[in-house]
Amino acid sequence: MKKSVKLAKKASEIRTACNKLPPGEEHDEKRAELMGDLETTETEYRAALDEEAEAETRQHDNGGLSPEEREARDLTAKAEIRDWFNAAAQGRQPEGRAAEVNSAHGAPLVGRSGGPVIPWAVLRTVQEQTEGRAFSTTSGYDGPTRQRPILQELFGPGVADTLGVRFDDAGVGMAEYPLLSGNVAPAQTAEGTAASAAVATSFTVASLKPKKLTAILEFTHEQAASVIGIEMAYRANLMDSLRSKMQDLLLNGTAPTNSNPENVEGFITKLTGSDLSTGQAAYADYGKLHAEAVDGIHAMTEKEVSSIIADETYRHAAGTYQSGSGESGSEALMRRSRACFASTYIPAIASKKQAAILHAGGSNGGAMRGDSVGAMWGGGVEVIRDIYTKASQGVVLTAILLWDAHTALRTAAYKQRDIQVQA
């Protein structure tokens, strides 16, 4: 409990005690004592409010992180994902700096299947450095073939941050996010007039439970002997593929059903789209796009609205221009928004149109207000190295991620607009 709350409670108790004293001079001394205590308590209360406000300001200036969270962030930034990969390859738990990072994030060293756990924060902040080895040559003749660093497969960047999806570590069990809305209706009343009857409290509850996302690949003994760093590259590929699938599901996932409870409902499934324009989008339509999400609550200006659009839509916007200025639709999208990114995860053109998802992520409520929520279980991704199942052929690598998400919990913070990009 905050110090200011305790002091406010104490002040209320002193006022109650003072009001209970019967009139008369014999109680004046006690009344004066209580009033002195009340004055002292209210002074301490105001000081506590100032201290808490300063603390909140400092926390906001540090990205909303506590000192412990900042320490965990700094430790994670120095981590190298190879520390976990090497532990998996050697069949042991993470040690040294990797173990410290797991501890800082409250993640177990090993998962349920015995593989090392890579904290989710590491996967979001660490870029793996793939090393290549080269032979030095001094001869004028053609030397031995030199292997350069392995070039990784590319996946689409994430959409979670742009669309305000807040991810938390869930620990063990289900995670519930109660959302309070529309419960109180203040009203001015005349002197002697009773207030309106109390309104029953109601919540919208997002219940998240662990759902399994897996990625599996295998490589032969011959490949391991021929290509330097191949297992490290494959492990990185597993991580990237998991992240990519998560982003795809956040946009396109279908709603859970009794027969498919493992589904994660995406924004495009959850939201109801409406046409941005009556025909093919023009410059003016792109110019007004982000204003469609401004409602005075979740966003007060276009600069507080972010969007994810399709790559075909972005190219179409770049080819439309404002008469006179020559500014393109894509320039207007960027200039008149907090951010506008093209994503490969938006579905292809259908009926001449493509979806655009807008997020009104203004300062009201803070950056972590939970317009959409997600949860991770097990502390991160577990990597399992199986040398037995296909021992005669090679090694099987399996990555397991337990997660769930509730998109558009605050539905009013989002808009879907369907943009016509073909005549």
Side-chain angles (χ1 to χ4, degrees):
M1 183 183 295
K2 290 184 176 180
K3 183 178 180 180
S4 62
V5 176
K6 294 180 180 178
L7 290 170
K9 182 179 178 182
K10 180 180 178 181
S12 177
E13 292 171 348
I14 294 174
R15 289 192 188 93
T16 300
C18 188
N19 291 334
K20 287 183 177 180
L21 288 175
E25 295 181 356
E26 64 272 20
H27 300 290
D28 286 348
E29 183 177 349
K30 180 62 175 179
R31 187 176 289 107
E33 179 184 346
L34 288 173
M35 294 303 295
D37 291 343
L38 179 61
E39 182 178 355
T40 301
T41 302
E42 288 184 334
T43 301
E44 294 176 352
Y45 169 72
R46 290 189 292 271
L49 285 178
D50 292 339
E51 291 176 1
E52 290 165 3
E54 291 178 4
E56 289 179 2
T57 300
R58 289 194 300 271
Q59 188 172 3
H60 180 270
D61 293 340
N62 286 296
L65 300 178
S66 66
E68 293 78 12
E69 290 171 329
R70 290 200 304 275
E71 183 180 356
R73 179 196 61 189
D74 295 341
L75 188 62
T76 302
K78 300 176 183 178
E80 296 185 3
I81 203 167
R82 75 183 70 182
D83 295 338
W84 287 270
F85 288 169
N86 289 337
Q90 297 169 18
R92 58 173 174 81
Q93 65 183 26
E95 300 173 350
R97 181 167 50 193
E100 293 178 5
V101 173
N102 280 49
S103 177
H105 291 285
L109 294 176
V110 296
R112 295 177 178 85
S113 301
V117 171
I118 307 172
W120 177 245
V122 174
L123 301 177
R124 297 187 63 181
T125 59
V126 176
Q127 297 295 325
E128 182 193 356
Q129 303 298 317
T130 307
E131 296 182 348
R133 301 176 185 174
F135 294 96
S136 59
T137 60
T138 56
S139 171
Y141 301 101
D142 289 340
T145 300
R146 298 185 301 173
Q147 179 187 317
R148 306 307 301 166
I150 296 173
L151 305 178
Q152 285 290 343
E153 180 182 2
L154 298 180
F155 297 88
V159 301
D161 290 342
T162 304
L163 296 180
V165 184
R166 165 185 164 180
F167 273 98
D168 297 322
D169 289 327
V172 177
M174 295 179 61
E176 287 192 344
Y177 293 83
L179 174 61
L180 179 65
S181 62
N183 288 284
V184 182
Q188 290 284 114
T189 55
E191 181 179 1
T193 303
S196 301
V199 178
T201 303
S202 61
F203 291 90
T204 299
V205 179
S207 296
L208 306 183
K209 63 180 181 179
K211 298 176 180 179
K212 183 173 60 176
L213 182 63
T214 58
I216 305 174
L217 59 77
E218 60 186 64
F219 58 93
T220 65
H221 298 303
E222 291 83 354
Q223 286 178 315
S226 302
V227 183
I228 299 170
I230 190 171
E231 182 169 349
M232 190 78 73
Y234 278 151
R235 290 175 183 274
N237 187 255
L238 279 176
M239 301 301 106
D240 290 341
S241 66
L242 283 177
R243 283 194 295 266
S244 176
K245 187 60 179 177
M246 287 179 65
Q247 309 313 308
D248 179 34
L249 292 173
L250 285 173
L251 282 176
N252 304 302
T254 56
T257 62
N258 290 335
S259 57
N260 295 104
E262 76 281 0
N263 291 349
V264 176
E265 186 175 21
F267 285 102
I268 293 176
T269 305
K270 180 74 174 291
L271 302 174
T272 300
S274 61
D275 291 341
L276 178 65
S277 57
T278 56
Q280 189 172 1
Y283 171 87
D285 299 312
Y286 288 118
K288 73 173 185 178
L289 175 63
H290 292 92
E292 299 277 294
V294 175
D295 62 357
I297 297 177
H298 301 90
M300 276 58 80
T301 72
E302 296 162 279
K303 286 295 186 180
E304 293 181 331
V305 179
S306 303
S307 67
I308 295 292
I309 65 175
D311 53 335
E312 293 97 333
T313 300
Y314 190 94
R315 289 193 292 272
H316 182 268
T320 61
Y321 300 94
Q322 182 184 42
S323 178
S325 72
E327 183 179 64
S328 70
S330 60
E331 290 175 306
L333 289 173
M334 294 299 297
R335 181 173 59 83
R336 301 181 63 171
S337 69
R338 171 182 288 172
C340 178
F341 298 116
S343 173
T344 185
Y345 303 111
I346 294 287
I349 297 173
S351 301
K352 303 179 182 181
K353 302 171 185 177
Q354 284 188 299
I357 307 298
L358 310 177
H359 174 226
S363 58
N364 187 11
M368 294 298 288
R369 68 190 185 190
D371 292 339
S372 294
V373 292
M376 311 286 296
W377 283 264
V381 178
E382 182 177 1
V383 181
I384 302 169
R385 186 176 191 265
D386 182 2
I387 61 175
Y388 303 106
T389 301
K390 295 190 175 181
S392 65
Q393 298 167 273
V395 177
V396 179
L397 296 177
T398 303
I400 300 175
L401 171 63
L402 297 174
W403 78 300
D404 195 9
H406 187 110
T407 55
L409 176 59
R410 298 182 191 269
T411 308
Y414 297 92
K415 293 290 185 295
Q416 178 181 327
R417 292 293 179 260
D418 298 324
I419 303 175
Q420 184 172 333
V421 295
Q422 293 178 343

